Amino acid sequence: MKEIYNCDVGCPIQNTLQVISGKWKSVILYHLFEFDVLRFSELQAKLPYVTKRMLARQLAELEEDNIINKKIYATIPVKTEYSISKFGKTLQPVIKSMEIWGTDYNDVYTSK
């Protein structure tokens, strides 16, 4: 797991951000909650503005933090699937709240 931020011990917001901080982690989680299982290429298609390297890095960090599961199939070419872990599913209300807030934000600022 990553080094803990230098904040008051037990800060719940920092604890949450510790896991989902990273430019694309929340978006990756949003798509995995929506589709259950996605291959690397499918995630890449959903995030066309993210480089392969950055996507792989964010996925590796989420896997390291036990938020997602990575399953590799011994096929040619290799097939890799990502899904939300049991522990990662506890983040669903957080990601859902972000989705609701983002939708409301879009509604307010696109209606001006």
Side-chain angles (χ1 to χ4, degrees):
M1 220 168 169
K2 295 180 210 140
E3 188 174 287
I4 294 178
Y5 290 117
N6 186 14
C7 70
D8 294 332
V9 176
C11 174
I13 300 301
Q14 287 289 4
N15 291 343
T16 305
L17 289 176
Q18 184 69 36
V19 175
I20 64 171
S21 67
K23 194 166 184 178
W24 306 110
K25 288 181 183 178
S26 298
V27 180
I28 291 167
L29 292 172
Y30 170 75
H31 288 298
L32 286 172
F33 279 123
E34 186 177 4
F35 294 97
D36 293 325
V37 176
L38 289 170
R39 295 192 329 251
F40 186 89
S41 60
E42 293 170 324
L43 280 165
Q44 212 176 1
K46 294 184 180 312
L47 304 161
Y49 35 81
V50 180
T51 65
K52 282 183 182 182
R53 181 175 181 228
M54 178 58 77
L55 179 57
R57 185 173 163 195
Q58 299 282 275
L59 287 166
E61 289 177 11
L62 286 166
E63 183 184 13
E64 183 180 317
D65 287 337
N66 298 313
I67 303 301
I68 64 170
N69 298 313
K70 177 181 178 180
K71 186 171 184 181
I72 301 172
Y73 294 90
T75 59
I76 299 177
V78 174
K79 180 175 143 182
T80 306
E81 291 182 341
Y82 296 91
S83 61
I84 302 288
S85 70
K86 183 178 179 183
F87 176 60
K89 288 180 182 178
T90 63
L91 283 168
Q92 191 163 16
V94 175
I95 300 301
K96 185 66 179 172
S97 292
M98 291 172 71
E99 176 190 15
I100 292 166
W101 188 91
T103 300
D104 292 345
Y105 176 86
N106 284 342
D107 291 347
V108 168
Y109 287 97
T110 56
S111 65
K112 285 185 175 185

